[in-house]
Amino acid sequence: MTLEKPMLDRTGLRGPRRLLQRIRDLMAQQDQAQARLDRLTRIIAEETGSDVCSIYLVLPSGALELSATHGLKAEAVHSLRLARDEGLVGLVAQRARPLSVEDAPAHPRFAYKPETGEEPFKSFVGVPVLRGGRLVGVLTAQSKSARPSTEEEIETLQTVAMLLAEIVASGELIRAEAFSDLELRASGPERYAGAALAPGIAMGVAVVHEPHVAPARMIAEDAEAEEVRLDSAIADLRRGLDELLESGRAPIGTPSRDVLDAYRMFAHDRGWTGQLREAVRSGLTAEAAVERVRNEHRARLMKAREAHFRERLHDLEDLANRLLRHLAGPDAVRALADLPPNAILVARSIGPAELMELDRSRLAGLATEEGSATSHAAIVAKALGIPMVGQVEGALDRVEDGDTLIIDGEFGILHVRPGEEVLTAYAERMEGLSRANLAYAARRDEPAVTADGVAMELSMNAGLLIEMPRLAETGAAGVGLFRTEFQFMISHTLPRVPAQIEMYKAVLKAAGGRPVVFRTLDLGGDKVTRFIPEMREPNPALGWRALRMGLDRPALTRYQLRALVRASAGQGLKVLFPMVADIGELSRARDLLYTELELARRHGHGVPERVETGLMIETPAVAFAPEPYLALCDFAAVGANDLMQYFFAADRQNPQVAQRYDVLNPAPLALLQSVREACDAAGKPVSVCGEMAGKPLEACVLAGLGYRRLSMSAASIGPVKAALAECDAGRLGTWLAGEIATKRPDTDKSLRHKLIAAAQEAGISSRLVDNRAAF
């Protein structure tokens, strides 16, 4: 395949631009779909100097069908189908990136298909046809001579492939009736099971977040004019980010400025803008250039294992979407800001800056094809109380603006165009939740007390400043766990000491005198930052994370402790150290804190009136023998999430094993009871934080085990307080002690079903403990 060297034809257009012009002329003709597709392969072959050009499209089954060709046998069209991993075409599909082979028959992945008549052809080049980062098909070119392909040749085919993807999706070149296997539009009800990223249920109308470029707007008539349009839109994009930074809108504490500063940095990146201009100069419109560059970044970065690379992809996605709206004009920019009531945003991903700009009074929920519980958008959505479901792969191509959607953030389900039965069931469920929330709000200021008069202290977990107003909304006793790493996770650079001081001061001020427990950085594992290289560890949950990382990087820990000491001047300071597994780790961490206290005094800075150090009990090494550790601290907190995953040797981030254990098994309950007894004996107050403390049934069990302090998400405080009010902690504790002591073999080792069955006897209303069913 030899591209013609830059030479002018009678129209004055050069090679790649002339190819795009010919494709545009073809689209304007009214031939039958197959005839137009066949002519397309002939045009590509002629303009690239290839002997063969073929188009393979992905069928619903996942197979690749030869849908058009110039140079291979015509009878193979629509009869030849390849598996996604078969042959060189399958290799392109599998890798989702271009492949160039000088001598194709000699390649180990070559699959000879005699029905195609491809014996005389040697060189092979294939590029994926991607739409939204997903494979639509494969475009290939072959030549009789064995030779390498140039970078320019591959880039030209990539441009054509990007154009082909949009044409296929729109039906402008390939009509649906001609390719009945390719379902391009959807109209019936669909259900997607994904990941629950932020709790809650929402019913509303779809707003598709990712703009797609219509094929008619992909080939430029005037390349110079398109470059002017592109430069103008980039300037508008940068100006808009500057205005957002200066406006102070949608603050989430200090991290918001870090996020927006980073976005401004990306918007000025010369590499990104240079790629956009090169794509325009090849003959594409400004919109198509953005789409092409976005596709290339997405296909490359989606395969990256490192989480910080995937987060960079989300940043670039956000910028590309913004730029497309600026290219579409002021009305498109305003459209996203002017959401319809009860809008449910559907996106591949969304950046935290974009989310902060949306009208929260109209945004009912979020559904994304990517994302995890620790993604930046999920963190912000939880803080804002917006239901969010992630990992609903394929939804973006099946949802249309205005479709009725239901987001189930409890079970990670997205319903698209639901039927009447589903709508009715969710409406009843939402009405029940609304009544329950009103009842919880009515008892907000009442103390948390069990039915037999045991006083409980319910605190709130938080990680962002924007969550702090929920202290007053829920009547929480304080912040039992402030996850300081969130500030670091949504920042593109290491937050400096002054920024950290400002953040911690704001948190303490927002607490209004209520106690706040600051947990030191718990980074590593599934929590990564851009400024600490992610390590590929065989068992990340057991690896270099939390305090282990903090002690190996003492400057990082000292900066944070320095900020906490100065922010708490004249007040109380509670510092909680996570992931302790050795007595020396706790001792060294305390020494770093005392060093910073002494440093502050020496330099004349204010210091806290009192300092309390806490131990997070979340490793079996500490849980089974906590006494020496308790002697070195003032309070303790049981990190039930990590402790239980280590107890059962089941990674809670792995869906294949996360549901294989139940914390209401007698064995872990016996361990939790022994930890509470050790803390009582040492005279050290102990709390339980994490998901276990925030579930009504589990919270009652913890009360029965003797725990009196629980810390949970803000949304859990109302249901837990209501459940405790109906729980006789003494009777439940006696029953649990008997079950734990019996140690008899049982088919179902969990006590959950027995507890639900005995709810009346234990004083727990069944409506608070029954397993809920997802629709």
Side-chain angles (χ1 to χ4, degrees), residues 456-459 461 479-481 517 576 615-617 635-640 672 675-676 679-680 684-690 693 702 706-712:
M456 300 290 294
E457 182 181 288
L458 304 185
S459 296
N461 295 337
V479 179
L481 176 67
V517 176
L576 181 64
L615 161 70
M616 200 153 193
I617 301 175
F635 67 96
V638 177
L672 291 170
V675 169
R676 192 270 304 161
C679 291
D680 287 352
K684 303 298 171 69
V686 60
S687 64
V688 178
C689 53
L702 289 170
Y707 285 92
R708 300 295 177 254
R709 296 173 178 85
L710 305 177
S711 190
M712 63 204 70

Side-chain angles (χ1 to χ4, degrees), residues 228-247:
V228 170
R229 288 184 65 236
L230 175 66
D231 288 340
S232 176
I234 291 173
D236 288 342
L237 168 69
R238 292 170 175 171
R239 192 179 306 112
L241 289 174
D242 290 341
E243 290 173 357
L244 181 59
L245 264 168
E246 294 166 3
S247 70

